[in-house]
Amino acid sequence: MFSLGLMRAGLLALLAAFVILLLVTIARWAYADGSRRGKSEWLIVLLIFLLPVVGWLIWLGIRPPIQKETTSRIFVPSDGALSTWVLLWNVALGWYMVGLVWVGQLVVYPMRVFLGPEHAAAYVAKYPEYIAIPVLIPNLLLAVAAVLLIWFRPRAVPSWPPWTGALLSLVLFVLVFTLYVPLQMEAAKHGFTEAANAKLLRIHWTRVAADTAYGLLLLWMAARTIYTPRE
């Protein structure tokens, strides 16, 4: 019980770190973008945070043209070793997750139909304990790495792929904990019947597709970094 509680605390800490990194990144982008366009920097930050989605859309719709290039831009690409290591960290964790979700989709989850009601409850009770280290912790580390890639991206990589990866990681977390896990718990009450498991597999395909797409995007970023000549 102690080890399980410790793992849960660690997962919460990593998730909190990811959320904080993402919020700070958004705030710094809003501040820098307001400065470059001659508007009140903190007013733009407040607009985006007080109205999380609507405020962002309002600013994107009304923001004026760039008036000046500031020296305080925060997402300046680099050819340094740090940006390369951050990208490699993303590639390694990203393709680890790609392999994991495909094994789950094609092997592990289809075999759960052999669990009857008498074993399903015990299976679900032990599942969080066994899945923390091989799945949840790497997933959270990948989320943190995706945010860091926004800050430390190689010069050959455009700005949009790291943002896409970070937002995709956040969406995956929301889908897993609000849709996939509740469905799994509900199905376990009566055993993983063929109908219930088929529904879970259909939902899980979205996760497989998202992880695979991000893995391919990471390979594309790595290829650009390798084959683009340095100035």
Side-chain angles (χ1 to χ4, degrees), residues 7-151:
M7 283 189 291
R8 287 175 178 171
L11 290 173
L12 288 175
L14 285 171
L15 181 57
F18 165 66
V19 172
I20 291 170
L21 275 171
L22 186 59
L23 292 177
V24 171
T25 299
I26 292 172
R28 295 188 66 181
W29 172 85
Y31 187 95
D33 198 49
S35 176
R36 294 170 64 206
R37 298 174 191 277
K39 297 299 181 181
S40 172
E41 296 90 344
W42 287 111
L43 184 60
I44 304 305
V45 173
L46 287 174
L47 175 66
I48 288 176
F49 276 92
L50 293 178
L51 301 172
V53 177
V54 177
W56 197 314
L57 293 176
I58 290 174
W59 172 240
L60 292 177
I62 68 171
R63 63 181 184 164
I66 295 174
Q67 297 183 7
K68 60 179 179 177
E69 291 291 344
T70 65
T71 57
S72 61
R73 293 175 63 187
I74 58 172
F75 305 124
V76 178
S78 169
D79 287 326
L82 181 58
S83 62
T84 302
W85 279 108
V86 171
L87 178 58
L88 289 175
W89 179 11
N90 276 270
V91 172
L93 287 171
W95 277 93
Y96 172 83
M97 293 307 303
V98 170
L100 209 61
V101 294
W102 276 100
V103 170
Q105 183 72 14
L106 299 181
V107 180
V108 177
Y109 297 149
M111 293 183 66
R112 290 187 305 186
V113 295
F114 299 107
L115 289 171
E118 67 278 10
H119 300 297
Y123 173 88
V124 171
K126 282 290 185 182
Y127 190 77
E129 180 179 350
Y130 291 140
I131 205 173
I133 293 177
V135 178
L136 296 182
I137 290 177
N139 215 337
L140 285 167
L141 289 174
L142 176 60
V144 173
V147 175
L148 289 175
L149 189 59
I150 298 174
W151 291 34

Side-chain angles (χ1 to χ4, degrees), residues 164-227:
T164 301
L167 293 175
L168 187 59
S169 297
L170 184 59
V171 170
L172 281 172
F173 272 117
V174 173
L175 287 177
V176 166
F177 288 104
T178 62
L179 186 60
Y180 179 67
V181 172
L183 280 174
Q184 182 168 249
M185 300 297 290
E186 181 64 26
K189 292 180 180 179
H190 310 288
F192 292 98
T193 63
E194 290 190 12
N197 211 46
K199 185 177 182 180
L200 285 169
L201 284 170
R202 286 196 300 272
I203 296 297
H204 194 256
W205 271 117
T206 59
R207 185 180 177 188
V208 172
D211 279 324
T212 304
Y214 187 44
L216 293 172
L217 186 61
L218 286 168
L219 285 183
W220 178 79
M221 286 189 272
R224 280 186 64 96
T225 302
I226 293 171
Y227 294 109

